[in-house]
Amino acid sequence: MALASQLRAAVLAGEAAAAYRRLLAILPELPDSWYNLALMERACGRFEAALAAYEEALRRGVSGPEEVRLNRAVILTDDLGRHDLAEAELAEALRLRPDWPPALLNLGNLHEDMGRRDAARAAYERALTVEPGNAVALARLAGLHRPQGADDPLIGRLRAALGEPGRDPEARAELGFALGRALDAAGDHGAAFEAYAAANAASRAATPGTRYDRAAHEVFVDRLIAAFPEPKRAEPAGEPAPVFICGLFRSGSTLVEQMLARHSRVTAGGELGLVPALAGRIRPYPEALAEAQGADIGRQARAMYLEGLRAARPGAEVVTDKRPDNFLHIGLIKTMFPAARIVHTVRQPLDVILSNWFLHLDRSVPQALDLEDMAHWLLQHDRLMAHWKTLYPDIIEVDYDRLVVEPRPVLEDLLQRLGLDWEGAVLDFGAAETGVRTASVWQVREPLYRRSSGRWRNYAAHLGPARAMLGLPPAEAEG
């Protein structure tokens, strides 16, 4: 037990899981250890094993069973796409502990993912009835509302919540980003920029040790390029790989996946974490893939990826793995699947930079907290993608700004290059319900969301340094 706890504290999930399994083989009547095993199994990407361990914890009388139900719901939604089962778990959590805010927030989020705006609103309002000062509930409620002007009551409600004494930085960030979104939607762009600037400052204060290191990221890109100097040779056909959709965050990858998911042969995988998890297991990464054992590592990684994919989306014919930052790992993807089909989404760079800065992203995306850091990240993305496209000219590029204006020709070309027949359903946004886990959940549910194209012009006065970093002319020169 001591060893398992020590390994868990050291964030050695695989070793910790093995230690917990050895412990539980001797003393199976330890519900907390089953709970901890479940945490480690999920960290290793073994989602069914995590669910089974949580079930054992429940069976053996774990304290706080509502937390177990909540954790199971998160796995079922985020990792396995089984939204109906997740909803049942949340219902059970709320039966055990009525009006529990964490369960209500997750239920509201699930309703949002499934396009149930009214049900999501009801869940957030219920959470606010229990905890009137809950910043997350108020921010998410604001995200469901389109303000009619800068004097909209909900904007006033957000400002009042921000003004309450004792708000910690994380709560101020949550509320500040919501206020920025509302003011932007209301057309008050000057006030929106101020709100977003304050929100990003609060987010930095909430994670003081998290900073984007430009020099370190440049070195990492150098290492990726050096580790993959030549294209991988295609191998005899085996189990097909998914369609990998990648690019910068907020470049249209979710929209592309959701349009493809309306095709009869395609299943949306969403933001699967399989590739980054595999990259994290390879030491040193990426250099080990360039060494003599690189091919063996690739075959092992391929087997683990396919095992995880089968568990996450069983029985699917064509699956999309839409993980934007997988652009960093195209070398690994091609090592695992030399014939992998890769879709790269692109968008007007200033719109991308602003859209990231406008979002309350987690600490894994520190570059989004600063406009110039985002410009640097974009330049490094472009440098790396130029290398990948030199090696693999069959990477399919989809331009978001063209897609929203003339979707049919863009999708016809994309489907053809993916070996899929044309189906008009890909343009039907009233098609069957599919879960969407993204900050743009409501945008992708509209017939086509065009308002974000060219949004940078509303903030042109604040983008001079970022424009200069990108080598773009002054805003005045573009008219």
Side-chain angles (χ1 to χ4, degrees):
M1 185 181 291
L3 174 62
S5 299
Q6 190 175 37
L7 291 168
R8 176 167 57 88
V11 200
L12 297 170
E15 294 87 339
Y20 278 117
R21 283 193 293 269
R22 292 199 300 274
L23 167 65
L24 291 164
I26 302 167
L27 296 170
E29 298 296 332
L30 295 173
D32 289 350
S33 293
W34 283 107
Y35 182 96
N36 290 331
L37 172 60
L39 292 175
M40 297 303 97
E41 294 286 24
R42 189 198 181 198
C44 292
R46 295 190 286 263
F47 308 123
E48 295 289 354
L51 291 173
Y54 277 132
E55 191 62 41
E56 283 293 326
L58 288 168
R59 194 167 70 85
R60 296 175 188 279
V62 68
S63 60
E66 71 278 6
E67 294 186 19
V68 176
R69 295 294 182 181
L70 178 59
N71 290 355
R72 282 174 57 87
V74 170
I75 292 173
L76 288 163
T77 299
D78 290 4
D79 302 319
L80 299 175
R82 300 175 192 171
H83 305 288
D84 54 340
L85 296 179
E87 190 169 357
E89 293 287 349
L90 292 172
E92 179 62 15
L94 288 166
R95 186 191 68 79
L96 293 166
R97 190 171 173 183
D99 295 325
W100 185 38
L104 290 170
L105 291 174
N106 277 270
L107 181 61
N109 204 46
L110 176 62
H111 286 316
E112 281 201 75
D113 293 345
M114 302 308 296
R116 306 169 193 158
R117 189 186 294 263
D118 290 341
R121 184 181 291 110
Y124 297 143
E125 289 281 19
R126 186 174 160 194
L128 286 167
T129 300
V130 180
E131 287 185 358
N134 191 302
V136 175
L138 181 55
R140 292 185 181 176
L141 182 66
L144 297 171
H145 177 74
R146 185 161 184 82
Q148 300 304 306
D151 58 350
D152 189 280
L154 193 54
I155 290 178
R157 194 172 170 186
L158 289 167
R159 289 191 188 280
L162 274 165
E164 291 175 4
R167 289 283 188 185
D168 61 46
E170 182 61 28
R172 286 190 287 110
E174 194 78 51
L175 294 166
F177 281 106
L179 178 60
R181 281 194 303 273
L183 290 167
D184 175 78
D188 192 346
H189 301 117
F193 191 88
E194 291 179 8
Y196 280 127
N200 277 287
S203 189
R204 282 192 295 274
T207 55
T210 303
R211 290 291 182 271
Y212 174 58
D213 188 329
R214 298 183 190 181
H217 186 60
E218 287 183 22
V219 169
F220 182 52
V221 172
D222 289 339
R223 290 168 55 204
L224 287 167
I225 292 172
F228 302 101
E230 298 177 349
K232 299 296 180 181
R233 295 196 187 115
E235 297 179 350
E239 188 170 347
V243 174
F244 293 92
I245 304 174
C246 61
L248 290 165
F249 286 110
R250 310 297 288 167
S251 64
S253 57
T254 299
L255 177 61
V256 169
E257 179 179 58
Q258 287 300 304
M259 296 179 93
L260 287 176
R262 289 167 172 81
H263 194 283
S264 61
R265 294 177 56 195
V266 178
T267 298
E271 292 195 3
L272 300 174
L274 297 171
V275 172
L278 289 168
R281 295 184 188 183
I282 297 171
R283 295 286 189 273
Y285 183 81
E287 288 78 9
L289 292 167
E291 296 172 0
Q293 73 274 23
D296 291 336
I297 294 173
R299 281 190 287 272
Q300 293 168 10
R302 175 191 175 106
M304 287 189 286
Y305 181 95
L306 289 173
E307 179 183 359
L309 186 66
R310 284 191 291 268
R313 300 295 182 270
E317 181 181 358
V318 178
V319 182
T320 52
D321 181 337
K322 181 208 73 84
R323 176 88 187 194
D325 55 349
N326 274 350
F327 77 85
L328 294 166
H329 306 301
I330 287 177
L332 170 59
I333 290 170
K334 285 291 192 176
T335 300
M336 295 189 294
F337 305 102
R341 296 161 294 177
I342 295 173
V343 178
H344 176 232
T345 56
V346 298
R347 183 183 176 191
Q348 206 283 340
L350 293 174
D351 279 335
V352 169
I353 289 172
L354 270 177
S355 291
N356 278 265
W357 193 69
F358 287 172
L359 282 183
H360 191 193
L361 298 170
D362 64 36
R363 65 186 61 197
S364 67
V365 195
Q367 67 273 12
L369 296 171
D370 182 273
L371 290 169
E372 291 170 62
D373 282 347
M374 267 306 305
H376 181 271
W377 177 266
L378 187 148
L379 289 171
Q380 295 306 307
H381 158 272
D382 290 354
R383 179 164 75 96
L384 182 58
M385 285 307 306
H387 174 69
W388 297 139
K389 289 176 181 178
T390 298
L391 298 185
Y392 305 108
D394 60 342
I395 290 175
I396 306 166
E397 186 169 287
V398 174
D399 187 313
Y400 168 84
D401 297 298
R402 183 179 170 224
L403 174 62
V404 297
V405 172
E406 44 182 3
R408 175 150 188 162
V410 173
L411 287 170
E412 282 180 334
D413 178 67
L414 175 58
L415 290 172
Q416 182 180 23
R417 296 182 67 179
L418 293 176
L420 297 169
D421 294 331
W422 170 259
E423 292 182 5
V426 297
L427 296 175
D428 179 10
F429 279 73
E433 191 177 73
T434 58
V436 182
R437 295 199 59 76
T438 171
S440 55
V441 57
W442 293 110
Q443 298 172 15
V444 299
R445 293 189 187 282
E446 297 184 14
L448 261 184
Y449 183 82
R450 302 184 184 184
R451 292 190 300 274
S452 283
S453 285
R455 183 163 62 168
W456 69 267
R457 296 180 185 278
N458 297 323
Y459 300 91
H462 304 282
L463 297 176
R467 292 183 71 92
M469 285 189 69
L470 296 174
L472 297 173
E476 301 77 24
E478 293 194 14

